[in-house]
Amino acid sequence: MEYTDKQVQIIDTAQDLFAENGYDGTSIRDIAKAAGINVAMVSYYFGSKEGLLEAIFSRHAEYVRLKLENLIQDKSQSPFQKMEVIIDSYIDKYFSQQPFHKLVARSQLSNSNKPVKDMLNDMKKRNQDLIKRLINEGQKTGEFKKNIDVQMLMSTMLGTANQVMTTQDFYREVNNMTDLPDEEFLKILKKKLRAHLQALFKAILKNED
């Protein structure tokens, strides 16, 4: 779905507030006030707070879906190269879309809102189904092992990326990088995380037979 600039502004504002205060701790009035609009406009575009949350998830899910589907159709790259593209894409999203991933983390920890968890689970299932297709491609060519647990594989990537992001200050301190400018530090951190995940995926996926 194509969103107007005003809709994107409302979505981004809601995402930031949901990430900071939680879904249940944020009202439509809070969102409207932060976005500098009236409450009726939020209702007009999204219908409800739940509809707005669905738009947030749909927007991110659509980006990932298109990326994965394009990879599936790409015949110029090997299965391992495609998995490296997936790692790069997820890392870039983690670093550039921190409020969204904070919202996801809060939603996973909370059992109070079933519609939120259902939306999140649906998004994850669709993404994993596409990644399974990529892994099946590597298994057919003999590059990947059989019996890959896709959920555990994705949990390894997402959990590692999330841990790195949430503890980056500690990593910076113990590796004597506190004097580095933020931009330079994040560039180094992304490079190290990418290399680490690529090595993990290779160890998990590579068929040694």
Side-chain angles (χ1 to χ4, degrees):
M1 177 179 177
E2 293 289 335
Y3 293 108
T4 66
D5 290 344
K6 180 57 69 176
Q7 287 173 307
V8 170
Q9 178 197 356
I10 296 169
I11 289 172
D12 287 343
T13 300
Q15 179 177 273
D16 290 346
L17 290 175
F18 289 157
E20 287 301 318
N21 305 321
Y23 176 78
D24 293 329
T26 303
S27 68
I28 290 289
R29 190 172 297 279
D30 294 332
I31 296 166
K33 182 179 179 181
I37 59 173
N38 57 53
V39 172
M41 186 175 289
V42 179
S43 299
Y44 173 75
Y45 282 133
F46 302 101
S48 64
K49 189 171 74 166
E50 187 175 311
L52 181 51
L53 182 69
E54 187 172 358
I56 293 171
F57 283 137
S58 295
R59 185 177 171 215
H60 286 270
E62 183 67 7
Y63 168 84
V64 175
R65 183 186 67 80
L66 289 173
K67 189 83 173 179
L68 291 173
E69 287 184 348
N70 287 335
L71 273 176
I72 289 171
Q73 300 300 323
D74 187 354
K75 304 302 182 185
S76 67
Q77 299 187 76
S78 70
F80 266 118
Q81 289 173 323
K82 291 179 181 181
M83 294 307 295
E84 288 180 350
V85 171
I86 289 174
I87 291 171
D88 287 346
S89 297
Y90 272 92
I91 290 175
D92 287 341
K93 281 182 88 285
Y94 255 98
F95 277 76
S96 64
Q97 300 286 341
Q98 293 186 43
F100 175 71
H101 292 287
K102 187 174 182 180
L103 166 61
V104 169
R106 289 188 71 124
S107 299
Q108 289 175 321
L109 289 172
S110 173
N111 291 312
S112 62
N113 195 303
K114 188 175 184 300
V116 174
K117 298 207 76 168
D118 287 345
M119 281 184 232
L120 178 58
N121 288 340
D122 186 55
M123 180 182 72
K124 290 164 67 177
K125 285 176 184 176
R126 289 198 304 269
N127 291 345
Q128 286 195 14
D129 285 343
L130 290 169
I131 290 171
K132 280 181 183 178
R133 290 174 61 185
L134 287 175
I135 290 176
N136 287 339
E137 178 186 333
Q139 290 172 329
K140 288 177 181 177
T141 63
E143 293 180 65
F144 293 167
K145 298 173 184 175
K146 302 295 184 182
N147 303 318
I148 298 296
D149 189 325
V150 178
Q151 186 176 357
M152 290 299 293
L153 182 70
M154 295 306 295
S155 294
T156 297
M157 179 172 68
L158 299 177
T160 301
N162 184 63
Q163 177 71 5
V164 167
M165 289 303 300
T166 55
T167 62
Q168 60 181 279
D169 289 340
F170 175 73
Y171 185 92
R172 189 170 187 162
E173 181 180 341
V174 297
N175 287 281
N176 300 315
M177 297 182 183
T178 54
D179 293 334
L180 287 179
D182 290 345
E183 185 176 351
E184 186 177 347
F185 167 70
L186 290 175
K187 186 177 180 180
I188 293 171
L189 189 63
K190 284 179 70 173
K191 184 177 180 181
K192 287 181 174 292
L193 176 58
R194 179 177 288 110
H196 179 71
L197 287 174
Q198 286 178 350
L200 278 177
F201 269 49
K202 188 172 183 179
I204 294 169
L205 292 170
K206 188 175 181 182
N207 186 6
E208 302 289 354
D209 294 337

